[in-house]
């Protein structure tokens, strides 16, 4: 599976761009999966629910299945967070995996930048950034700057730069 990252500092629009890319590429006939990296302890489950009780009892994995979808929750139980390549290996094969976050992982990345946020550009120090999607132009970058709202152009960058990750 070919993989590309979408990175940027908080509140620069990563999730919005990922959702727009998924919609655009899916409509073009590509099969897309996503991986979202979170920095905080999250829990999609609720105390007292059956799946929560299974996890609290010590289950390593709990799979909740319905007629519309299934959700697999895997407890790390104090183990290290798995490398991105291991997470990708758990996915059903698709054409592209779009990874939101994982700034420090070696993979081709498109940086999302909004001028109003006034954050430093990751592209200035990360050689894995292959393009910047921004609402302002930069003339001093070694990578292309794509207008943030030009989803077809950002999708074209995905098609060119996504690659299979090696372990």
């Amino acid at each position: 599976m070919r993989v590309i990252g979408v990175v940027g500092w908080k509140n620069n629009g990563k999730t919005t761009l990922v959702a727009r890319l998924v919609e655009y590429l899916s409509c073009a006939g590509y099969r897309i999966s996503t991986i979202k990296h979170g920095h905080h302890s999250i829990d999609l489950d609720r105390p007292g629910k059956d799946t929560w009780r299974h996890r609290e009892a010590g289950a390593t994995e709990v799979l909740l299945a319905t007629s519309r979808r299934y959700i697999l929750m895997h407890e790390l139980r104090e183990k290290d967070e798995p490398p991105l390549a291991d997470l990708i290996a758990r996915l059903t094969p698709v054409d592209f995996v779009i990874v939101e976050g994982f700034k420090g992982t070696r993979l081709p990345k498109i940086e999302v930048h909004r001028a109003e946020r006034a954050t430093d550009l990751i592209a200035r120090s990360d050689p894995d950034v292959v393009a910047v999607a921004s609402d302002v132009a930069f003339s001093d970058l070694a990578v292309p700057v794509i207008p943030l709202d030009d989803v077809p152009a950002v999708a074209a960058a995905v098609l060119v730069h996504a690659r299979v990750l090696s372990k």
Side-chain angles (χ1 to χ4, degrees):
M1 293 185 286
R2 293 172 59 197
V3 180
I4 194 149
V6 173
V7 299
W9 300 109
K10 184 177 180 181
N11 295 324
N12 270 281
K14 297 179 301 291
T15 300
T16 299
L17 182 59
V18 168
R20 293 178 76 193
L21 282 170
V22 169
E23 180 179 21
Y24 183 87
L25 291 166
S26 294
C27 287
Y30 295 101
R31 294 169 304 131
I32 309 294
S33 287
T34 64
I35 295 178
K36 163 79 172 147
H37 189 253
H39 294 285
H40 307 289
S41 177
I42 60 158
D43 200 340
L44 303 176
D45 218 349
R46 291 195 315 259
K49 300 306 271 181
D50 294 349
T51 51
W52 181 88
R53 291 177 61 203
H54 296 180
R55 289 187 307 123
E56 285 299 304
T60 299
E61 290 188 329
V62 175
L63 194 145
L64 173 62
T66 72
S67 63
R68 294 195 174 257
R69 70 188 51 90
Y70 67 86
I71 301 166
L72 176 63
M73 292 177 276
H74 181 97
E75 293 296 316
L76 294 176
R77 306 246 185 252
E78 307 306 320
K79 293 180 183 163
D80 290 339
E81 179 179 351
L84 179 59
D86 291 356
L87 298 172
I88 291 168
R90 296 184 70 97
L91 296 174
T92 300
V94 293
D95 298 310
F96 294 96
V97 177
I98 300 174
V99 176
E100 182 180 335
F102 287 91
K103 279 192 292 281
T105 301
R106 299 291 322 260
L107 74 153
K109 302 167 190 154
I110 296 172
E111 179 177 356
V112 181
H113 180 270
R114 289 192 182 280
E116 71 182 31
R117 300 291 303 145
T119 53
D120 293 332
L121 280 172
I122 297 166
R124 295 195 195 286
S125 59
D126 185 344
D128 292 322
V129 174
V130 297
V132 174
S134 181
D135 57 357
V136 294
F138 293 93
S139 59
D140 62 334
L141 293 179
V143 298
V145 179
I146 304 166
L148 185 54
D149 289 328
D150 190 348
V151 175
V154 178
V158 169
L159 297 178
V160 168
H161 294 289
R163 65 174 171 79
V164 176
L165 296 185
S166 56
K167 282 196 171 194

